[in-house]
Amino acid sequence: MSFLEVRDLALAFGGVRALDGVGFSVERGQVFAIIGPNGAGKTTVLNVVTRVFAPASGQVLLEGVDLVRMPRHAIAGAGVARTFQNIELFEGATVLDNLLLGRHRFDHGGLLSQMVQGRRARACEDASRERVEALIDFLDLAPHRNQRVAGLPYGVRKIVELGRALATEPRLLLLDEPASGLNPEETRDLAFWIDDIRHDLGVTVVMIEHDMSLVSEVADRVLAMNLGRALAEGTPAEVQSHPDVVAAYLGG
Amino acid sequence: MRFAYDTSYRESRRLLRFASDRAAYALLAVLLAAAPFVLPVFYVGELTYLFIFALASLGLMVLTGYTGQVSLGHAAFLAIGAYAEALLLNAGWPLPASLAAAAALSGAAGLAIGMPAIRVSGLYLAMVTLAFAILLEHAVGHWSSLTGGFTGMAVPEPRLAGVSLGTPTGFYFLCLALLAAVLLALVNLMRGHLGRAFVGVRDSEAAAWGLGIRVPLVKVQAFVLSAAITGLAGALLAHQTKYLTPDGFGMMLSMQLVLAVVIGGLGSLRGAILGAILIGLLPSFISHLKPFLPDRIAKQFGLEIFVFGAVLVGFVLFEPLGLNGRWQKLRAFFETFPLYRRDTFRRGKAYMRSERYK
């Protein structure tokens, strides 16, 4: 059995069939890219996996456990983290606090201990901080550590969001258009980081991306979608030259 | 200029980190401790009222400033705390137990109103809380057998271990001690796990869910914590006014609390205190000013409300970050002295923001 198996997802909003029997599987340690024109249902797949939406039918098996049966808040605990297409950061908080929020699912001592800053609460806080500082090093965020997110440039925000997802210590990382809005240099950095996330942290990555140069560089497998259906699956080169994919992008 | 040079993770979390902070707070403590012995009784009472109002304002700040849930009916929790305190003391409870029970009872009311209320947000939540406060005011007024109705009820004198705390000085220190304790507990909570979860829910529910935060649970927690603190303030307010009537807990009081947290600066405990001081002092400041105003203005009905409104408009226009924002700017100016940049506090524009999922 594969690490992640998505089977026959179907979901409709009114008369729109957002997902119409999508299925794919991802092996452990792979980088799996989903491409497709706007409205293909790519983000909806991520939203079903993270339980934002409940599918009408289908299964999402992470190492054999069906995520669709879990409550929404338990997804992080199951080892799945995500970023958002339009950046969903906690604007009023500092970069450090955003990353520390990624540690929410871990123990932080009882409420009373937090209230009086007891030994237990402080030890937990230190442990969280230590893991977060490692990520700050990893993602070169040190200059922004104590800045409010609201004042940061777009490229840095994207990285903060990536860091926050990593702070939850996921087994599976879902990236929704990680390179959108980044300049070529930042996109290069991102490619290296995704590589490191896979090799050094051992995290499996599923990403939605339009930038085909990034996809061909980091992805092992690619799934092309259109109108809620899977069009083609294979290596980046195979999918790019698939006649259905070409037709979906260029029309005809 | 001053540099924060951390040599351990804990150093950046220390509360009074710099010698100047410690000196300033020590001075404040000395002044507050000496105040009742040097000030005339009237001003001791005014200060005591400010402590109580600041406590209530801290309660609302937890809910509105940190968690982003607007409540226009927080006077209801003050009323619950106040009547609970009076009734429990009449029933013979000792003061510490009655204060704790008043806070707990108000917290329970927060749970009861919070559980259905978190299903709605924004304007609708504001309306639910407003309706709750109006209903409660009328319920208190008509339940004469318990609350004395509109004629009101007297509040027994606060006594602790046989010593009366009903004297202005004694009650002053009781309120100061409780305010300090609650403030310290909140400072600890808000810079830690729970406070971050509150801010997370406020700023992005979608992201909060994704990090494993149970959004509805966190909202209810904020409601209960907020109601309990405000209820404690209500219990103290009962002793301050010594006589309870339902119209003492009307719309105007709720509005004053909202004004205090907005003008203080949403999302900061210091803001709650500063806002409470400003709003708490405004009525007596206006009445001191009245003799110097022309009669046509001074005798105008609703002058107070007009000034409240004008102050709010001024802050929204010129200092949206509130008194706390002004404080931080001043601090940054002196700390970075010749290198201060105005842009430090300029908010970046968010060009894209998705409201698609909640």
Side-chain angles (χ1 to χ4, degrees):
Chain A
M1 167 167 279
S2 304
F3 176 70
L4 173 71
E5 272 198 42
V6 175
R7 290 186 193 154
D8 291 325
L9 286 186
L11 174 65
F13 298 112
V16 181
R17 287 188 167 179
L19 295 178
D20 194 0
V22 177
F24 58 88
S25 58
V26 182
E27 298 303 324
R28 180 190 293 280
Q30 264 189 348
V31 174
F32 188 91
I34 303 178
I35 64 167
N38 291 329
K42 307 181 295 291
T43 300
T44 310
V45 171
L46 294 202
N47 282 340
V48 167
V49 173
T50 55
R51 294 291 289 109
V52 176
F53 302 135
S57 65
Q59 287 177 309
V60 178
L61 300 172
L62 182 69
E63 292 190 318
V65 180
D66 194 354
L67 296 181
V68 170
R69 292 165 183 275
M70 285 190 179
R72 192 173 171 190
H73 63 83
I75 295 297
V80 180
R82 74 174 289 185
T83 65
F84 294 83
Q85 190 171 357
N86 291 330
I87 306 187
E88 290 280 347
L89 281 172
F90 306 118
E91 298 278 328
T94 62
V95 170
L96 185 63
D97 279 341
N98 268 275
L99 296 179
L100 283 170
L101 257 162
R103 307 281 309 169
H104 182 88
R105 74 186 184 92
F106 301 98
D107 186 23
H108 281 80
L111 205 59
L112 206 65
S113 182
Q114 289 176 46
M115 212 180 269
V116 297
Q117 288 290 296
R119 183 184 303 227
R120 176 128 181 72
R122 283 192 301 178
C124 292
E125 189 74 19
D126 283 351
S128 276
R129 181 73 190 270
E130 209 168 312
R131 303 306 299 260
V132 162
E133 287 295 335
L135 280 173
I136 288 178
D137 268 355
F138 176 60
L139 296 172
D140 283 337
L141 283 170
H144 308 292
R145 186 190 283 116
N146 290 317
Q147 286 174 349
R148 272 185 176 227
V149 166
L152 290 178
Y154 191 82
V156 179
R157 290 170 181 228
K158 286 234 116 157
I159 304 308
V160 175
E161 208 188 19
L162 177 63
R164 188 182 64 186
L166 287 174
T168 66
E169 297 186 6
R171 292 182 287 166
L172 173 66
L173 178 63
L174 310 171
L175 304 174
D176 197 346
E177 301 199 17
S180 75
L182 299 187
N183 64 32
E185 199 179 325
E186 289 167 332
T187 309
R188 295 281 314 159
D189 286 344
L190 185 71
F192 285 119
W193 276 323
I194 291 176
D195 229 39
D196 284 351
I197 287 167
R198 184 222 321 227
H199 287 121
D200 298 354
L201 306 180
V203 177
T204 308
V205 179
V206 172
M207 66 175 197
I208 294 171
E209 188 48 68
H210 284 297
D211 184 338
M212 282 313 290
S213 63
L214 180 68
V215 169
S216 357
E217 194 176 324
V218 300
D220 304 303
R221 305 277 298 170
V222 177
L223 170 76
M225 287 180 65
N226 193 25
L227 301 174
R229 286 185 195 173
L231 279 186
E233 198 190 321
T235 64
E238 282 168 18
V239 170
Q240 255 179 304
S241 56
H242 195 282
D244 288 350
V245 177
V246 175
Y249 273 98
L250 300 179
Chain B
M1 272 196 79
R2 182 155 82 187
F3 293 99
Y5 186 73
D6 294 341
T7 51
S8 74
Y9 294 149
R10 289 197 179 173
E11 198 153 351
S12 64
R13 287 171 50 76
R14 271 173 56 189
L15 285 182
L16 300 174
R17 189 160 173 203
F18 300 103
S20 57
D21 289 343
R22 288 192 288 274
Y25 279 95
L27 183 67
L28 182 68
V30 169
L31 286 178
L32 288 176
F37 302 108
V38 287
L39 288 178
V41 173
F42 172 76
Y43 290 104
V44 176
E46 285 282 286
L47 273 178
T48 309
Y49 177 70
L50 282 187
F51 295 156
I52 297 170
F53 193 60
L55 193 57
S57 165
L58 283 175
L60 184 60
M61 186 58 92
V62 167
L63 187 66
T64 302
Y66 281 88
T67 322
Q69 309 293 305
V70 180
S71 166
L72 294 183
H74 246 51
F77 298 117
L78 278 169
I80 290 170
Y83 278 94
E85 170 78 358
L87 290 169
L88 290 174
L89 282 182
N90 275 334
W93 288 43
L95 183 71
S98 69
L99 284 175
L105 213 64
S106 180
L111 182 69
I113 185 75
M115 291 225 279
I118 50 154
R119 291 170 191 277
V120 295
S121 59
L123 203 54
Y124 300 100
L125 178 63
M127 280 163 60
V128 169
T129 51
L130 183 63
F132 171 64
I134 293 173
L135 279 176
L136 192 91
E137 195 187 335
H138 283 271
V140 168
H142 290 284
W143 195 351
S144 312
S145 56
L146 188 69
T147 64
F150 289 105
T151 46
M153 71 188 289
V155 181
E157 185 188 38
R159 298 184 71 82
L160 187 62
V163 183
S164 169
L165 290 173
T167 60
T169 310
F171 190 57
Y172 171 94
F173 281 113
L174 175 68
C175 292
L176 180 59
L178 284 175
L179 174 64
V182 169
L183 180 62
L184 191 65
L186 279 182
V187 166
N188 283 336
L189 279 181
M190 290 304 123
R191 67 197 168 124
H193 185 240
L194 186 70
R196 284 196 298 262
F198 283 175
V199 170
V201 167
R202 177 191 71 189
D203 285 355
S204 170
E205 287 189 19
W209 277 114
L211 299 175
I213 297 175
R214 301 176 73 161
V215 173
L217 180 71
V218 168
K219 284 184 181 174
V220 169
Q221 280 175 332
F223 242 104
V224 171
L225 183 62
S226 169
I229 295 169
T230 310
L232 181 64
L236 294 175
L237 191 63
H239 293 301
Q240 172 80 358
T241 56
K242 297 192 172 72
Y243 198 82
L244 297 176
T245 53
D247 43 336
F249 301 96
M251 270 298 296
M252 193 61 194
L253 190 58
S254 294
M255 287 303 135
Q256 283 187 1
L257 281 174
V258 174
L259 276 180
V261 297
V262 171
I263 286 173
L266 290 172
S268 99
L269 297 174
R270 182 187 294 110
I273 304 274
L274 293 177
I277 292 172
L278 183 75
I279 297 300
L281 285 183
L282 215 49
S284 57
F285 175 73
I286 294 169
S287 57
H288 279 300
L289 205 66
K290 270 184 181 168
F292 306 102
L293 290 175
D295 257 10
R296 279 210 325 225
I297 298 176
K299 291 195 175 143
Q300 197 63 248
F301 174 73
L303 179 67
E304 238 176 58
I305 298 176
F306 173 78
V307 175
F308 278 138
V311 170
L312 179 66
V313 169
F315 268 94
V316 168
L317 281 180
F318 301 112
E319 186 58 279
L321 296 175
L323 289 168
N324 181 57
R326 183 49 47 189
W327 171 278
Q328 285 180 331
K329 285 173 196 175
L330 274 175
R331 244 192 111 112
F333 179 80
F334 285 110
E335 280 180 4
T336 59
F337 173 56
L339 303 174
Y340 180 72
R341 296 180 309 139
R342 285 182 68 173
D343 288 352
T344 311
F345 289 92
R346 190 154 293 169
R347 233 184 117 92
K349 277 209 176 81
Y351 292 100
M352 294 207 295
R353 180 140 178 82
S354 94
E355 301 290 341
R356 284 180 302 168
Y357 4 92
K358 287 288 178 195

